Amino acid sequence: RVIPSLLPSMLSRLALLLVASLTHGALVARPLSGFSSLGSSRTAAASAADDGRPLNVRVAPRSRSVLMADAAVADDAETFQFEAEVSKVMDIIINSLYSDKDIFLRELISNASDACDKKRFLSLTDDSSSSAFEGRIRVIADKESNTLTIEDNGIGLSRKDMKENLGRIAQSGTKKFTEALGAGKTDATNLIGQFGVGFYSAFLVADKVAVVSKVSGGEQLRWESTRASEYTIAKDDSEPIEGSGTRLILTLKEDADKYTQDYTVRDMLKRYSEFISFPIELWTEKTEYETVPDPDAEVAEGEEPKTKSVPKTSKAWEKVNVAKPLWMRSPKEVQADEYDEFYKATFRAYDTPDAHTHFSLEGQVEFRALLYLPSTVPWELSQDMFNDKVKPIKLYVKRVFISDAFEEQLLPRWLSFVKGVVDSQDLPLNVSREILQKSKVLSIISKRLVRKALDMFAEIQQDKAKADRFNTNFGRYIKVGVIEDRDNKDALLKLASFASTEGDQSVTLPQYVERMKEGQKQIYYVSGASRAAAASSPVLEGLRKKGYEVLIALDQIDEIALQGVGKFGDFDVVDAAKEGADLGEQSDEEKASTQAAKESLVDTCAAVKAVLGDKVDKVEVSSRLTASPSALVQPQWGMSPQMQRFMKAQAAATGDDMGMLGGMAANLELNPNHPAVLKLKQMVDDDKKSAATRDYATLLYDVAAVSSGYEVADPAAFAARVVRLMTGEEPTAVVADPVAEPAAGAAEVVTADPAASSSKAEDDAPIMPEVL
């Protein structure tokens, strides 16, 4: 008989699903007459359909006039219930809640698991039961009939259950069962159902759905619906169900024939329902080989009869969910080899993890988690540090896989190399369990995961081999965390390691502080393309003389991370190659000597600045140089040469303008005690405008650029200056470009007198600044 699908008692539940889709508007109810009877409800729904309204509500903007009108009729207010056109509601549930059709199998297997769990729970209190209940779920994919059958031996459905749980939308039988048990019944915490709409996901792939079910001691019934328009309930005379249970038969759509393939169904079961507590068996085809006599083979007299292998195909039940959810067990009960096997099977990895952490949180928010630290870098991450294809965290709800696309909401991206599972029933998922909404619960879980991951990293520092491997494989991720995660910066700084001028081993900031020299008040670092290049930088000569250790930033992440530290403990972290860096206290004698040198080289510094122009920001006497004649240092907010090269490469790749970088100029520092600087001072005193003086000053700048790690803007000119220095040849005067002259045609330049030419060049030729 046909059971009417439009029931007033279900409308309040439908409102929860529908109101969520009505945004940016206010719901204004329209009064309906005769609402108390079923017939009037049908009439009202038909009226709503006639004027194009699927509901007896209209979407109105939330305006002041509406609010005032509502206040005006507050005294005469009437209360009404929402109505719905069920066919449209079903269409929304089936086609709008789920973005992936494969999810239907997850929902139906979860329903079967709940049915088995209910029977298991009831069997515990049933004195007539002689043995423990052994639940099971079976799946049959039939290509010939184009059907997919899911059968369980759970509690089953009575006629009343079919009406209420299958014929009433948003009625969760599992949730109702849990509420009936009352609070504190931990035996029922494994039940999965919550929203009461998962069953209808079957219509994503099926035109017709039949439910054959039987409760213990009851009659076998058949619930059937085509295209979710209406349903019938009748007695069933098909293959009898033993005891109790449910058989769900899906007649698949034409475009859903892939679900009749064994390997497709097996893959989906392993993906979504691998850790269901009851065995899931798939009716599958198996091929075995038998050895039989070969009648076609020739056998000589006295020889044994020859045989051959013949394939034999048979059907059998294959258990799909062989893995166990380790995170649901107590850490004390799990062995180390079990953790390793679970890691390899779950994440399809070949390496043995270096560490793991297994924990749970109980209280206002409850969840269980198992995190792993891989011993090798996944191939995808070796190609791209933050590859979107890497899905490190698998999210489960009561052992049912939900998604692996929530890693950025559960973990910050600097932890994308960590693998693990999280299982919680408190996560704010939407009805389809595909969207994870932001909430306080999510924040609590994320913070605990990060804290446990940091504790795991700190523990492996006790093992030198694992610590070195960790720093080599994932050290850059820790430094990204220093840059991006301000809440955990202090903990991350204790783990981050950097190259050093002392030895070949990397060093952490706590280790650096332990071996600081007496009187050292700052932590120094310098950037460089290599350890050797950075260690030989002239800007470190003063620090080397004092025996101070200097950290080396070998790439851009190192440099940005160290720039953002600011202060570690009681010590400032400073760039030794920056202007104004405190390189330690000077004695009174050193201060007096530096001041005297500055006064004696005032004219020299001014002359060099005039020659170099915009190439440098300023020229000054250095207190950090001891062996080199000159060095380039960056202003306080300038970029290191390594960072400049990186930015230029980025700009070239994206086609951006390099004008900003071209305007940056370094400071040139001169060593007042170096013979080359003293010679330059003499040349400036003799004739600061001569070509030789200008050439010498430029060469001193080039030497500083090369030794400090900068690129030489004009290698050909630099080479020419070096050759002239080697041969003793006098420099050629700088002459203005003929193109710039107003006269047409080519101008012939004849240098008769070097001194006169030099003077003329000084007057006529503009100084063209090089761009670093």
Side-chain angles (χ1 to χ4, degrees):
R1 59 192 176 89
V2 178
I3 304 298
S5 57
L6 183 58
L7 300 175
S9 58
M10 75 178 184
L11 297 178
S12 59
R13 298 181 180 88
L14 293 177
L16 296 176
L17 297 173
L18 298 175
V19 170
S21 64
L22 300 175
T23 57
H24 306 293
L27 297 179
V28 182
R30 295 187 177 181
L32 297 178
S33 60
F35 185 77
S36 59
S37 65
L38 179 61
S40 61
S41 298
R42 287 178 173 172
T43 303
S47 175
D50 290 340
D51 62 5
R53 291 181 291 108
L55 299 173
N56 66 310
V57 297
R58 55 187 174 91
V59 181
R62 190 179 296 276
S63 62
R64 182 180 300 274
S65 60
V66 173
L67 297 177
M68 292 179 64
D70 291 344
V73 299
D75 296 337
D76 301 328
E78 298 179 68
T79 302
F80 302 95
Q81 293 186 1
F82 289 99
E83 287 191 355
E85 187 173 336
V86 175
S87 61
K88 292 189 177 181
V89 173
M90 290 296 292
D91 181 70
I92 292 173
I93 293 174
I94 295 170
N95 298 313
S96 300
L97 285 183
Y98 303 98
S99 61
D100 186 357
K101 290 184 178 181
D102 289 355
I103 288 177
F104 87 93
L105 190 59
R106 179 193 73 185
E107 299 294 320
L108 299 181
I109 293 295
S110 298
N111 288 348
S113 175
D114 281 351
C116 292
D117 248 327
K118 293 174 189 176
K119 186 170 182 179
R120 178 192 61 81
F121 178 78
L122 295 177
S123 67
L124 297 176
T125 58
D126 186 1
D127 297 334
S128 62
S129 178
S130 59
S131 60
F133 170 69
E134 296 183 0
R136 52 117 180 95
I137 302 169
R138 288 180 167 175
V139 181
I140 303 174
D142 191 340
K143 291 184 180 180
E144 295 182 1
S145 62
N146 195 37
T147 60
L148 181 67
T149 303
I150 302 171
E151 185 173 350
D152 65 75
N153 62 343
I155 193 172
L157 294 169
S158 65
R159 185 181 295 269
K160 180 181 178 183
D161 293 333
M162 287 182 172
K163 293 178 185 178
E164 293 184 352
N165 298 335
L166 303 183
R168 182 173 296 173
I169 305 171
Q171 172 74 33
S172 174
T174 296
K175 188 173 183 180
K176 189 175 181 181
F177 180 84
T178 306
E179 292 172 351
L181 294 177
K185 297 293 185 179
T186 57
D187 294 40
T189 56
N190 289 332
L191 296 176
I192 303 166
Q194 181 179 0
F195 299 108
V197 295
F199 167 76
Y200 307 107
S201 64
F203 291 99
L204 285 169
V205 298
D207 285 326
K208 184 172 72 173
V209 176
V211 180
V212 178
S213 189
K214 178 187 175 185
V215 296
S216 182
E219 59 181 347
Q220 185 165 313
L221 301 172
R222 185 183 188 90
W223 182 99
E224 190 169 286
S225 178
T226 301
R227 299 183 184 275
S229 58
E230 60 182 18
Y231 65 88
T232 61
I233 299 177
K235 290 185 179 181
D236 180 72
D237 57 359
S238 63
E239 181 183 350
I241 296 175
E242 182 179 352
S244 65
T246 300
R247 183 184 305 127
L248 181 62
I249 307 168
L250 308 182
T251 303
L252 300 173
K253 298 178 180 179
E254 292 182 1
D255 60 349
D257 57 344
K258 71 174 183 176
Y259 300 113
T260 61
Q261 300 169 353
D262 288 354
Y263 62 86
T264 300
V265 176
R266 182 185 297 104
D267 180 70
M268 292 167 59
L269 290 172
K270 281 185 171 292
R271 176 175 174 80
Y272 291 109
S273 306
E274 174 79 7
F275 302 106
I276 289 291
S277 55
F278 298 100
I280 302 175
E281 300 174 350
L282 178 63
W283 185 247
T284 185
E285 187 178 87
K286 290 190 174 182
T287 301
E288 297 178 348
Y289 290 88
E290 291 185 346
T291 302
V292 299
D294 187 357
D296 299 327
E298 296 182 0
V299 181
E301 186 177 352
E303 290 184 355
E304 292 289 334
K306 294 185 178 181
T307 61
K308 64 178 180 179
S309 296
V310 178
K312 182 181 179 181
T313 303
S314 61
K315 289 278 191 175
W317 292 109
E318 175 192 350
K319 186 177 180 181
V320 177
N321 56 334
V322 293
K324 302 297 181 184
L326 289 188
W327 68 86
M328 300 299 292
R329 296 164 56 184
S330 170
K332 298 179 181 178
E333 301 174 358
V334 186
Q335 302 298 322
D337 58 341
E338 292 183 278
Y339 282 119
D340 295 345
E341 291 175 5
F342 179 83
Y343 168 79
K344 294 177 180 179
T346 304
F347 301 103
R348 299 179 182 179
Y350 299 97
D351 62 313
T352 299
D354 272 343
H356 67 268
T357 178
H358 183 185
F359 61 97
S360 62
L361 178 65
E362 297 180 355
Q364 186 178 2
V365 178
E366 296 186 4
F367 75 95
R368 295 173 179 269
L370 176 56
L371 301 179
Y372 286 97
L373 172 63
S375 58
T376 61
V377 180
W379 184 85
E380 295 85 353
L381 293 182
S382 66
Q383 305 300 309
D384 182 356
M385 191 171 175
F386 301 108
N387 196 320
D388 294 336
K389 296 180 180 179
V390 177
K391 306 295 184 182
I393 298 296
K394 295 181 179 293
L395 176 63
Y396 291 81
V397 173
K398 296 182 178 180
R399 308 174 313 283
V400 177
F401 176 72
I402 300 301
S403 177
D404 54 8
F406 297 144
E407 70 278 0
E408 291 186 2
Q409 294 168 280
L410 292 173
L411 288 177
R413 70 170 187 158
W414 63 267
L415 278 176
S416 58
F417 62 92
V418 172
K419 297 183 181 296
V421 297
V422 176
D423 192 323
S424 174
Q425 63 183 17
D426 294 330
L427 286 174
L429 292 163
N430 70 333
V431 177
S432 66
R433 306 175 195 261
E434 295 177 282
I435 301 175
L436 189 59
Q437 303 165 352
K438 291 185 178 181
S439 70
K440 183 179 180 181
V441 173
L442 189 61
S443 176
I444 294 173
I445 293 177
S446 177
K447 288 181 179 180
R448 181 54 62 94
L449 291 175
V450 172
R451 173 51 55 191
K452 285 295 184 178
L454 289 173
D455 292 343
M456 177 172 62
F457 302 156
E459 288 178 6
I460 67 168
Q461 300 302 315
Q462 310 302 321
D463 187 324
K464 189 177 185 304
K466 290 184 177 180
D468 291 343
R469 187 159 55 241
F470 172 75
N471 291 329
T472 301
N473 293 337
F474 310 114
R476 299 187 78 207
Y477 290 91
I478 298 300
K479 294 164 189 172
V480 171
V482 172
I483 298 169
E484 297 181 347
D485 194 341
R486 312 308 294 178
D487 294 336
N488 297 290
K489 187 180 78 168
D490 293 340
L492 288 166
L493 283 174
K494 296 178 181 178
L495 298 172
S497 63
F498 303 90
S500 167
T501 55
E502 301 293 330
D504 296 331
Q505 296 294 324
S506 59
V507 60
T508 62
L509 292 181
Q511 292 171 338
Y512 180 98
V513 172
E514 287 180 3
R515 54 197 199 196
M516 286 174 62
K517 297 294 183 179
E518 184 178 355
Q520 182 178 347
K521 298 181 179 179
Q522 292 181 320
I523 298 174
Y524 301 100
Y525 74 90
V526 68
S527 63
S530 67
R531 187 189 297 264
S536 61
S537 175
V539 298
L540 302 184
E541 291 176 355
L543 296 175
R544 283 199 297 267
K545 183 178 180 181
K546 296 182 178 182
Y548 288 174
E549 180 180 7
V550 180
L551 299 178
I552 301 175
L554 293 177
D555 63 18
Q556 296 75 29
I557 294 179
D558 288 357
E559 184 173 350
I560 296 173
L562 288 170
Q563 284 178 350
V565 172
K567 199 176 188 69
F568 181 76
D570 298 329
F571 305 98
D572 293 328
V573 180
V574 299
D575 186 349
K578 286 290 180 69
E579 172 191 12
D582 185 358
L583 305 180
E585 295 183 0
Q586 289 183 315
S587 63
D588 293 339
E589 182 179 350
E590 290 174 333
K591 291 180 181 179
S593 176
T594 300
Q595 184 61 33
K598 288 181 178 180
E599 293 175 357
S600 66
L601 292 176
V602 170
D603 293 340
T604 303
C605 290
V608 173
K609 170 60 179 170
V611 172
L612 298 179
D614 292 336
K615 288 183 180 181
V616 296
D617 185 51
K618 59 184 176 181
V619 181
E620 58 187 0
V621 175
S622 175
S623 61
R624 72 180 84 203
L625 298 176
T626 60
S628 300
S630 57
L632 288 180
V633 299
Q634 279 293 326
Q636 188 64 33
W637 304 108
M639 285 194 297
S640 68
Q642 181 170 325
M643 186 61 69
Q644 288 187 26
R645 284 192 290 271
F646 172 74
M647 296 295 291
K648 289 172 69 175
Q650 291 290 99
T654 58
D656 291 341
D657 185 15
M658 290 296 298
M660 180 189 71
L661 293 179
M664 291 186 177
N667 298 338
L668 177 63
E669 292 191 0
L670 302 178
N671 182 357
N673 301 316
H674 197 278
V677 176
L678 296 177
K679 180 179 178 180
L680 176 63
K681 178 180 183 301
Q682 184 63 45
M683 295 175 69
V684 170
D685 292 342
D686 293 343
D687 186 359
K688 66 179 179 179
K689 295 185 178 181
S690 68
T693 302
R694 296 169 60 85
D695 201 56
Y696 197 89
T698 305
L699 184 60
L700 201 62
Y701 167 82
D702 291 339
V703 170
V706 172
S707 61
S708 300
Y710 292 82
E711 294 181 354
V712 177
D714 189 350
F718 172 64
R721 283 189 286 270
V722 173
V723 170
R724 286 196 295 270
L725 182 66
M726 296 169 64
T727 60
E729 179 184 352
E730 289 295 326
T732 303
V734 180
V735 182
D737 189 352
V739 178
E741 297 293 334
E748 182 178 359
V749 180
V750 179
T751 306
D753 184 354
S757 299
S758 174
S759 176
K760 186 177 186 302
E762 179 68 20
D763 295 334
D764 299 337
I767 299 176
M768 302 301 293
E770 296 175 352
V771 179
L772 291 183

